[in-house]
Amino acid sequence: MCGIVGLYALRQKVPVEVVVKALDVMKERGTPHGAGLALYNPSDKPRIKAFTRQPVGNRYVKLYNDLYDVELSELIDIDGYIYLNSKWIDVYKVVGWPADIIKTYGISGLSSNIWLGHTRYPTNSPGRLPYYSHPFTAGDVAIVHNGDLSSYGSNINFIRYRAHVKFTGNDSEAIAYLLSFLVRELGVKEAVEELMYGRRYRWARLDGPYAVSFIIGGPKPVFGAFVDPQHFRPLYVGMTDSMLIVASEAAAIKAIEPRAAVWALRSGEYIIAEGDEVHGNFKKRYVYPELPQPPEDAIDASQYDAVSLAPVVRAELQKRGEVKVVNVLGHRYLGNGMSSGTLKVWGVVGNASANVMSGGVYFVYGDVQDDFGDAMNGGLAAIFGNAGDAVGQAKRGGEIYVYGDVGSRAAIQHRGGVMVVGGSAGKYLGEYMGGGTVVVLRATNNEEVGNMIGRGMVGGEIYIRGEVPMDYISPVDKRALERYAKSLLIDGLAGVEDYTKLLDGAEPLAVEQRELTEEEIAKLSPYITKFNNIFNLNIKISRDIFTIIRPKK
């Protein structure tokens, strides 16, 4: 869980209230057990902050009970924990919600052109002390992280060999120290790549799920963000001509800048801003059709919090049969359990929506975030934008049409019905798929589909327009499998027949790259026609090469 946000503005300073508003949109990702902010805020001398049990000096804030946040004029021995020592960065941490930061420290109106924010869902360290709240710093580096590091032990050993560091025990803290060391050694771009892959410093590699945003302070500050190579945590990017925003949810970006073009980073992608330049290995995936104007006679979602809107919509659907909702900004659970009627939504639909839908028609004029259409049994959902991760998870029936792209693990455990994607798809498409049909047209966006396609697939079929590299499809380390099978044969633990079966199992999928047959065209055409009618397109599937993936019979 956890919600992170990062902001880099070229020509303006952004007040703290705007950053907190973005974190509040992601409130369901957090708890009252930790929140924090970091900002670029140069000073004449290093700013040293610590948590102590007694007030020290003249500048301190009493947090609760006998805990104080103190600011020191110099480094001295204290009975406490120093969490900041930087001339360029300032940090505020609390046990509480993001809004509590402003109240606790009295920083209303504080502004900066670079921000990090975090709302915490504690997983591997306590939530009872602000020590454990993000952001974490190491000198002039500050980071926020969503995820859990399984590499924490090796990471801190790597750091301890190079510096004397007092750790809180929170795994995320290690990222700040690693990034600080690697930036000095390699530069920013190479440091980020080293964290992901550990090519030069093996024990510096991060393992486990992570999405990270960072500030590197200095006369010319650097801002950036990156996601793990397996894309276990989401991170969206929003851009205008003067602002770069990253966040765990697309809605948080829209809360800061409604005009931002928003898309999701994919596995192992990073984005870096320095001066007026933005660079990295990311690709822009801003794909939208022309949207109808929102109606005036609609429910205004801005009057409801993230979860209270869903029951209102459900009740109105039962009463009227057709419901329109505007100003949706990360509102969750919309359309869950929907069995009939028509639901039309304008905005960014929050996580876990259209779950267990069994009937009716659901139009989203905008984006949907993660886990849309989970365990869907019937009905039709059309997304006039992009979809986040795990769309159609465990889907058993019904139809999902997406104008643009889908994220990682689309159609994971897909069991029935149809999903048609107008653009591209991230990694692990159709993972553990057991039935149904998935079509990726690569028409509205012809970017290559991510790898690990059909991993663990046992049923159904996937059609991807164009020739997909064969090693992208259910890849198996055949060399390692051959060595294992041979060792069993030599040791007498397997016979020749077992050896052959094991090697045959290395290719569990039947993959063809060709034009569709008349039978396949007849089967898919009703859904392609429906896709075209919904989005006012004219996509044809005859005479094009498709990569067709099915389990071996």
Side-chain angles (χ1 to χ4, degrees):
M1 292 295 284
C2 296
I4 68 173
V5 65
L7 181 153
Y8 182 90
L10 282 177
R11 295 184 286 274
Q12 65 197 86
K13 287 194 172 184
V14 177
V16 62
E17 287 83 0
V18 173
V19 184
V20 168
K21 178 183 176 183
L23 290 170
D24 282 343
V25 167
M26 301 185 289
K27 190 172 184 179
E28 295 303 306
R29 304 186 74 89
T31 65
H33 302 299
L37 297 167
L39 66 152
Y40 181 67
N41 189 15
S43 60
D44 295 333
K45 61 178 184 178
R47 185 181 287 110
I48 304 167
K49 288 186 172 183
F51 294 116
T52 63
R53 293 297 180 182
Q54 298 292 333
V56 180
N58 297 321
R59 303 180 65 181
Y60 60 85
V61 174
K62 186 172 183 180
L63 300 178
Y64 53 86
N65 297 333
D66 59 348
L67 192 65
Y68 295 81
D69 188 324
V70 305
E71 187 166 342
L72 307 172
S73 58
E74 59 181 342
L75 278 174
I76 58 174
D77 287 333
I78 59 168
D79 181 16
Y81 176 76
I82 294 175
Y83 67 89
L84 176 69
N85 182 3
S86 174
K87 184 179 176 181
W88 307 101
I89 293 170
D90 200 358
V91 169
Y92 298 90
K93 299 169 176 257
V94 297
V95 173
W97 294 106
D100 294 326
I101 304 169
I102 299 176
K103 298 174 188 175
T104 300
Y105 291 98
I107 57 172
S108 178
L110 180 65
S111 62
S112 175
N113 66 316
I114 309 178
W115 284 96
L116 298 178
H118 191 274
T119 183
R120 186 168 186 237
Y121 191 100
T123 50
N124 58 21
S125 61
R128 55 186 171 78
L129 293 169
Y131 302 174
Y132 305 110
S133 297
H134 297 217
F136 287 101
T137 67
D140 294 323
V141 172
I143 70 99
V144 287
H145 166 223
N146 171 30
D148 296 278
L149 298 182
S150 56
S151 57
Y152 176 64
S154 61
N155 293 154
I156 62 170
N157 283 336
F158 177 88
I159 297 163
R160 280 175 172 154
Y161 279 124
R162 288 157 178 82
H164 175 71
V165 176
K166 184 178 179 181
F167 288 101
T168 63
N170 187 298
D171 61 341
S172 306
E173 184 181 24
I175 301 173
Y177 285 99
L178 289 168
L179 186 57
S180 177
F181 169 78
L182 293 170
V183 165
R184 293 194 303 271
E185 294 288 311
L186 306 173
V188 180
K189 173 181 173 293
E190 288 75 11
V192 170
E193 292 180 351
E194 195 67 17
L195 287 172
M196 288 193 283
Y197 301 110
R199 296 187 180 108
R200 306 185 200 185
Y201 298 99
R202 179 181 174 187
W203 304 115
R205 185 177 73 87
L206 305 179
D207 190 27
Y210 56 84
V212 178
S213 186
F214 61 84
I215 301 171
I216 302 171
K220 192 177 182 181
V222 181
F223 170 85
F226 57 96
V227 293
D228 73 78
Q230 303 307 321
H231 200 226
F232 286 119
R233 289 294 183 272
L235 195 63
Y236 291 85
V237 176
M239 289 185 74
T240 67
D241 59 352
S242 63
M243 191 177 291
L244 167 64
I245 312 164
V246 299
S248 300
E249 298 188 9
I253 294 173
K254 292 291 189 179
I256 294 174
E257 177 48 83
R259 298 168 298 176
V262 179
W263 71 94
L265 289 181
R266 286 194 184 172
S267 312
E269 288 190 340
Y270 58 87
I271 188 165
I272 297 168
E274 184 175 5
D276 59 357
E277 293 184 2
V278 176
H279 58 92
N281 66 346
F282 67 94
K283 291 184 179 179
K284 292 183 179 181
R285 303 180 179 89
Y286 184 68
V287 182
Y288 294 93
E290 187 173 344
L291 302 179
Q293 288 297 310
E296 295 182 0
D297 60 334
I299 296 172
D300 183 358
S302 67
Q303 303 303 308
Y304 300 86
D305 65 27
V307 298
S308 63
L309 176 62
V312 173
V313 170
R314 188 180 303 117
E316 288 298 305
L317 266 175
Q318 292 174 349
K319 187 189 303 182
R320 295 191 279 139
E322 181 175 3
V323 175
K324 300 170 186 176
V325 188
V326 297
N327 299 324
V328 172
L329 193 65
H331 294 80
R332 285 163 150 72
Y333 317 134
L334 296 181
N336 283 6
M338 182 175 172
S339 59
S340 62
T342 300
L343 175 59
K344 295 183 178 181
V345 173
W346 280 258
V348 180
V349 172
N351 293 13
S353 292
N355 290 184
V356 203
M357 180 179 173
S358 60
V361 177
Y362 187 173
F363 279 9
V364 178
Y365 298 112
D367 293 333
V368 302
Q369 294 179 172
D370 303 340
D371 198 32
F372 183 91
D374 189 348
M376 182 178 181
N377 293 304
L380 182 151
I383 301 160
F384 287 68
N386 301 314
D389 295 340
V391 58
Q393 177 177 188
K395 178 172 162 292
R396 296 180 288 231
E399 302 166 27
I400 295 178
Y401 298 91
V402 183
Y403 176 87
D405 295 337
V406 293
S408 293
R409 293 177 171 81
I412 180 174
Q413 298 175 326
H414 193 279
R415 302 176 186 179
V418 175
M419 181 188 299
V420 181
V421 179
S424 182
K427 205 168 187 174
Y428 292 104
L429 173 67
E431 185 178 34
Y432 305 123
M433 186 171 173
T437 301
V438 174
V439 183
V440 180
L441 293 170
R442 294 174 63 197
T444 57
N445 175 21
N446 66 356
E447 182 183 353
E448 196 171 68
V449 174
N451 62 1
M452 304 289 185
I453 302 166
R455 190 85 161 176
M457 182 180 182
V458 295
E461 52 196 2
I462 300 173
Y463 297 86
I464 303 172
R465 192 182 212 149
E467 296 186 6
V468 175
M470 295 300 289
D471 60 355
Y472 274 34
I473 302 168
S474 189
V476 174
D477 188 342
K478 294 181 181 179
R479 187 177 176 187
L481 186 63
E482 286 173 359
R483 287 200 302 266
Y484 173 67
K486 190 173 182 180
S487 69
L488 294 178
L489 188 63
I490 292 172
D491 293 341
L493 299 175
V496 175
E497 185 177 343
D498 297 321
Y499 173 84
T500 304
K501 284 182 179 179
L502 188 59
L503 292 184
D504 286 345
E507 296 181 359
L509 300 180
V511 182
E512 300 177 88
Q513 295 183 331
R514 55 170 173 76
E515 293 183 12
L516 300 177
T517 65
E518 290 184 6
E519 182 181 355
E520 289 166 336
I521 291 172
K523 178 181 179 179
L524 297 179
S525 285
Y527 304 108
I528 303 304
T529 298
K530 197 175 294 186
F531 180 93
N532 285 331
N533 290 338
I534 291 170
F535 300 118
N536 194 27
L537 295 172
N538 188 29
I539 297 170
K540 301 184 185 303
I541 57 173
S542 60
R543 299 186 179 178
D544 279 346
I545 299 296
F546 276 78
T547 298
I548 303 157
I549 306 163
R550 300 184 177 97
K552 281 186 175 178
K553 295 182 179 179

